[in-house]
Every structure is written in structure tokens, then in C-alpha cells.
């Protein structure tokens, strides 16, 4: 289980922007000792950190954590800092600074014991979530619903246009206002870019963008970056200076649009964008990233582009967004497979994908032959969707400070590993 000690140490490393090695060095302890303090409490190798070390770490963070550019942060809640026109909503990653993002990650760390089914907390008891999904979804819809339920709330769902009054010509404004009389928060997925913002303008209850056409998918990008940070912590790497390769449909893939902007909040990254010309990342996003001082290279060669990458982020061709255009140039050379990864990547590379991956023959999506490779982080990504989405709800609904006090043990039993192929990292969490 994630203890207060782990949350404290992870937060300190994030704020100081240090790898485990440099942090252990800075506080004068052996890396192995630090690792045992970071282990889950129920691990046989877990050790408590001495009180004097905790005090020392606290002093170092106060003294040395890079000063935040966000001068409001000391006095203002995260909910207020990320608000859109004063309203608690999550529409775009542009609402976040690096600091507010890391504040959210700290809250996600607090949620881990609930997400891992060791604790329950019912801080949202009585609240109702409206999940409005006008486009296909499994992960986003169910994980937002599960996250809300795990905080004690209940969920009402509607899927597709066919079974909603939008099929009768109802406007976004009317739908949003009507739903706001029934529920306490809305998660909306809609095929048109900008449509979720329109839902948000018609209500004062929290609205979360669950994907607006080819626009954005902010919660996915947050869970992706949270996963990258956790994987990097284990591997002794920092997000600053990382090399991230993005592969596939970078034109219509909203997850990469949001993720590259979030990563651009860090320093000195190199991005290699690998896609056929017809599916390149929109120029306005590349400009925004380059203005942040990052290097962006575009390539059509997977072999070249993946060389030296710390993160390989593959995506699905968004066929549903092609009107009458043919999908040109997405040949088998774009497939990320075990043989390719073995040829050009090392043990420290992580392989990600927002899922679903198209496993049908000829799709050339991320290959299933990587399923037993511990570098494949796709299910750690999906698992991280729960603590991140719980943190988003807790912040938007103003209950993040109550969660820890309200936790109690679960009454049922769950397997220690959820999936049969889940990788173990020698006790390193
Ligand atoms: N699930 C992600 C999305 O909704 C990725 C995908 O569909 O390819 O954007």
C-alpha cells in the first residue's frame, strides 16, 4: 500500500527534480535504503524512514525546491488555479503549469491505496456523475465512472447519439443545462473539437473533457505523464532532457496533442515525430512546443526515429476521423514490434500507447508480440487512469484534503497482481 512516507518522498523528489540516485546522495543515505522506504507498506522489505531524515528532507525541500513561477500557489487552491473563467473545469492541458500538474500528481499518489483496492474512502458520497459519451469509449468512460464510484459517488451514463435527445435535434446548451439539474459533475466525449467547451459554458457544475474530436484528451495526457514519471523514477531518469518518440496518427490523435503540450512544460526535451506525411502533427502544436525551447524532429523512419528514445509512444490510426480521404502511407514499416524494439532500443526504454490498439491484421498498430516485454507500460498506464481521474474529481469538487482522513481498509480480497503478465521490478514500485 502507498504510505504517507512514499507520498512524502515521491513529492520531495518531484519538487527537487532529482532521480533516486541523486536524491539519496543529497540526503546522505544509500540508494538501497531509499528504495526500501519507497516500497509498499505491505512488502516484506519495507522500512520506516527515521524521523530525523524526514525532517532533513523537509528542510531541503523548503530551501531548495525550485521557486515556483506561480506566485499564487501558496495561497490559492489547485481548483482555483486551474479554473476556466472562474469555473472548476478540465477542458485543456493548457490550464496547467508544471507546478499545478505536480500538485495533481501528489493527490494521485494519495489515491493509490484506493485505486489498488486496499482502502476505501467515501468523500463523494451522495454525489452523482453524468458520463455523456457521444463517441466510442471503453477505458475513459469506465475509468472515470469507477474513479467516481471509488470515492463514494454514483454514475449515470449515456452513450452514443442514438439514445440521447441530441438525436432529436437538442442543442449542446440545452443538454448541458438539463443534465446539470440531475448530476454534480459531467464527463463529456464528443466528436467535434471545441464541443466540450460549449457544454462547459452552459453550466456551473464541473465539466471534464473526455475527448473532443481531434482536439484534446487532457486526462489521458495526465495519466501518461504520471506513468512516465513513475517509470522514470524506477529507471533513474528525469522528464527534463528526455527523448520522446511519438508514432502513428499524429494528425488526428488527440492524446498526442495533449501529451506533447504537457511534456513541453518540462525542460530541454527532444521529440521525434514519426508518421507518414498525411498524418503529421498539426503545425500550431509543433510551434507551441518549439517556442518552449524543445527540439522537434519529424521523420518517416521508425528505425531512425526510435534510436535512443526514452519513451516510445505509439498511437492508433483514427479511422473514424477520415471523411473520404484514403489512409495513405501507413505501411508495415510503421509498426512498433518486438524485433524493432530489440534492434534500436535499450532496457531503459518504455513503450506506451493510449489504447485501444487495433489488433486486426493489416492495422500496423503496436504489435501484441511485445506483451511479455517488461518495457511495455500500457497496462500500467491504464491502471494509472484511476488515481489520476480520482485526483481530478477530488480537486474539481474540492474534497482532496478529506480523502486521507476518510480512508478505511477494504473488506474484500484482491489478487496482488491484477494481470497474469504484470511485470515485477525486483520489489521496486
Ligand atoms: N482512447 C484514445 C482516445 O479516445 C485513443 C484512441 O482512441 O486511439 O483518443
Amino acid at each position: 500500500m502507498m504510505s504517507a512516507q512514499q507520498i512524502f518522498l515521491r513529492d520531495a523528489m518531484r519538487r527537487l527534480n532529482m532521480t533516486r540516485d541523486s536524491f539519496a546522495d543529497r540526503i546522505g543515505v544509500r540508494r538501497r535504503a531509499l528504495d526500501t522506504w519507497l516500497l509498499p507498506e505491505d512488502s516484506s522489505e519495507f522500512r520506516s524512514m527515521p524521523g530525523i531524515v524526514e525532517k532533513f528532507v523537509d528542510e531541503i525541500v523548503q530551501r531548495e525546491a525550485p521557486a515556483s513561477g506561480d506566485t499564487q500557489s501558496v495561497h490559492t487552491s489547485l481548483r482555483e488555479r486551474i479554473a476556466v473563467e472562474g469555473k472548476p473545469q478540465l477542458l485543456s492541458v493548457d490550464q496547467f503549469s508544471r507546478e499545478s500538474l505536480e500538485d495533481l500528481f501528489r493527490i494521485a499518489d494519495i489515491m493509490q491505496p484506493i485505486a489498488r483496492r486496499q482502502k476505501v474512502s467515501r468523500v463523494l458520497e451522495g454525489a452523482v456523475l453524468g458520463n455523456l459519451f457521444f463517441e466510442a469509449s471503453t477505458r475513459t468512460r469506465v475509468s472515470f465512472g469507477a474513479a467516481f464510484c471509488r470515492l463514494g459517488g454514483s454514475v449515470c451514463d449515456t452513450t452514443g447519439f442514438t439514445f440521447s435527445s441530441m438525436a432529436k435535434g437538442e442543442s449542446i446548451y440545452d443538454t448541458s443545462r438539463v443534465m446539470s439539474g440531475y448530476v454534480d459533475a459531467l464527463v463529456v466525449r464528443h466528436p467535434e473539437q471545441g464541443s466540450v467547451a460549449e457544454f462547459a459554458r452552459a453550466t456551473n457544475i464541473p465539466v471534464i473533457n473526455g475527448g473532443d474530436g481531434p482536439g484534446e484528451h487532457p486526462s489521458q495526457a495526465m495519466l501518461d505523464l504520471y506513468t512516465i514519471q513513475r517509470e522514470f523514477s524506477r529507471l533513474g531518469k528525469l522528464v527534463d532532457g528526455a527523448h520522446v518518440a511519438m508514432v502513428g496518427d499524429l494528425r488526428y490523435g488527440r492524446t498526442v496533442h495533449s501529451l506533447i503540450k504537457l511534456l513541453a512544460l518540462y525542460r530541454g526535451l527532444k521529440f521525434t515525430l514519426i508518421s507518414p506525411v498525411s498524418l503529421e502533427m498539426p503545425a500550431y502544436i509543433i510551434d507551441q512546443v518549439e517556442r518552449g525551447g524543445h527540439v522537434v524532429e519529424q521523420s518517416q523512419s521508425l528505425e531512425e526515429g526510435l534510436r535512443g528514445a526514452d519513451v516510445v509512444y505509439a498511437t492508433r490510426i483514427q479511422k473514424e476521423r477520415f471523411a473520404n480521404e484514403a489512409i495513405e502511407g501507413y505501411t508495415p514499416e510503421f509498426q512498433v514490434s518486438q524485433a524493432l524494439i530489440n534492434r534500436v532500443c535499450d532496457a531503459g526504454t518504455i513503450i506506451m500507447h493510449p489504447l485501444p490498439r487495433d489488433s486486426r491484421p493489416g492495422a500496423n498498430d503496436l504489435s501484441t508480440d511485445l506483451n511479455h516485454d517488461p518495457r511495455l507500460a500500457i497496462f500500467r498506464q491504464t491502471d494509472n487512469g484511476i488515481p489520476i481521474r480520482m485526483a481530478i474529481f477530488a480537486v474539481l469538487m474540492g474534497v482532496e484534503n478529506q480523502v486521507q482522513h476518510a480512508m478505511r481498509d477494504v473488506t474484500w480480497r484482491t489478487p496482488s497482481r491484477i494481470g497474469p503478465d504484470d511485470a515485477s521490478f525486483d520489489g521496486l514500485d
Side-chain angles (χ1 to χ4, degrees), residues 84-376:
V84 182
E85 288 162 13
K87 297 200 260 186
Q89 298 168 344
L90 175 57
L91 305 178
S92 161
V93 294
D94 294 336
Q95 290 166 242
F96 280 80
S97 64
R98 175 170 174 167
E99 195 195 22
S100 52
L101 185 67
E102 297 197 338
D103 285 347
L104 185 90
F105 289 171
R106 185 177 179 281
I107 299 166
D109 281 349
I110 294 173
M111 300 298 184
Q112 285 284 5
I114 309 175
R116 294 184 184 192
R117 296 160 241 190
Q118 288 143 346
K119 294 277 178 189
V120 282
S121 174
R122 302 196 58 80
V123 287
L124 289 184
E125 188 159 20
V128 179
L129 171 70
N131 248 345
L132 299 187
F133 278 69
F134 300 104
E135 257 193 351
S137 173
T138 307
R139 261 152 298 274
T140 309
R141 185 169 56 82
V142 176
S143 67
F144 265 120
F148 206 81
C149 291
R150 289 201 184 278
L151 287 173
S154 322
V155 183
C156 295
D157 269 308
T158 165
T159 27
F161 284 100
T162 329
F163 299 108
S164 88
S165 283
M166 284 199 152
K168 301 179 185 169
E170 188 169 56
S171 67
I172 287 183
Y173 183 93
D174 285 3
T175 307
S176 179
R177 172 60 191 86
V178 169
M179 288 299 296
S180 308
Y182 304 155
V183 300
D184 303 287
L186 283 174
V187 178
V188 185
R189 171 171 287 186
H190 191 281
E192 271 160 46
Q193 188 161 355
S195 54
V196 183
E198 211 178 319
F199 270 94
R201 281 193 291 275
T203 179
N204 289 329
I205 67 167
V207 174
I208 296 168
N209 183 357
D212 60 329
E216 280 214 37
H217 196 342
S219 65
Q220 175 73 44
M222 284 165 188
L223 74 90
D224 289 340
L225 184 48
Y226 182 67
T227 304
I228 292 172
Q229 275 205 345
R230 290 181 74 93
E231 299 282 313
F232 276 14
S233 164
R234 176 173 55 76
L235 295 165
K237 295 183 178 186
L238 293 176
V239 177
D240 288 331
H243 176 193
V244 179
M246 296 179 163
V247 184
D249 186 349
L250 309 182
R251 178 177 178 192
Y252 293 116
R254 55 194 170 201
T255 67
V256 280
H257 298 170
S258 292
L259 179 59
I260 198 168
K261 289 201 277 176
L262 265 197
L263 283 164
L265 295 174
Y266 288 73
R267 279 194 302 270
L269 274 85
K270 175 179 167 188
F271 295 100
T272 310
L273 307 180
I274 308 149
S275 66
V277 177
S278 60
L279 298 178
E280 279 174 0
M281 174 87 69
Y284 76 93
I285 301 180
I286 298 183
D287 287 350
Q288 184 175 334
V289 172
E290 282 178 336
R291 276 199 305 275
H294 305 281
V295 174
V296 182
E297 286 173 0
Q298 286 179 287
S299 166
Q300 276 146 47
S301 158
L302 209 51
E303 190 98 20
E304 286 308 306
L306 298 197
R307 219 170 274 283
D310 298 295
V311 179
V312 174
Y313 192 98
T315 63
R316 178 181 67 88
I317 299 293
Q318 309 283 296
K319 289 203 181 93
E320 64 276 30
R321 313 226 180 276
F322 289 70
N324 292 317
E325 314 148 68
I327 303 168
E328 268 171 30
Y330 203 71
T331 52
E333 287 84 72
F334 284 96
Q335 184 167 43
V336 176
S337 65
Q338 182 79 72
L340 176 79
I341 292 290
N342 288 349
R343 236 177 11 255
V344 296
C345 297
D346 61 28
T349 306
I350 55 168
I351 304 153
M352 302 176 69
H353 191 296
L355 300 184
R357 57 180 156 168
D358 189 341
S359 301
R360 290 170 293 193
N364 303 328
D365 206 333
L366 178 67
S367 171
T368 50
D369 69 0
L370 280 155
N371 280 8
H372 298 280
D373 191 317
R375 291 173 289 186
L376 188 74

Side-chain angles (χ1 to χ4, degrees), residues 393-428:
F393 284 130
V395 167
L396 295 182
M397 303 191 71
V399 295
E400 74 271 30
N401 294 329
Q402 298 167 39
V403 175
Q404 244 169 334
H405 307 295
M407 272 189 207
R408 53 190 166 76
D409 291 342
V410 297
T411 49
W412 67 92
R413 295 174 74 93
T414 33
S416 55
R417 298 240 184 99
I418 302 297
D421 294 327
D422 287 4
S424 142
F425 297 105
D426 304 313
L428 270 190

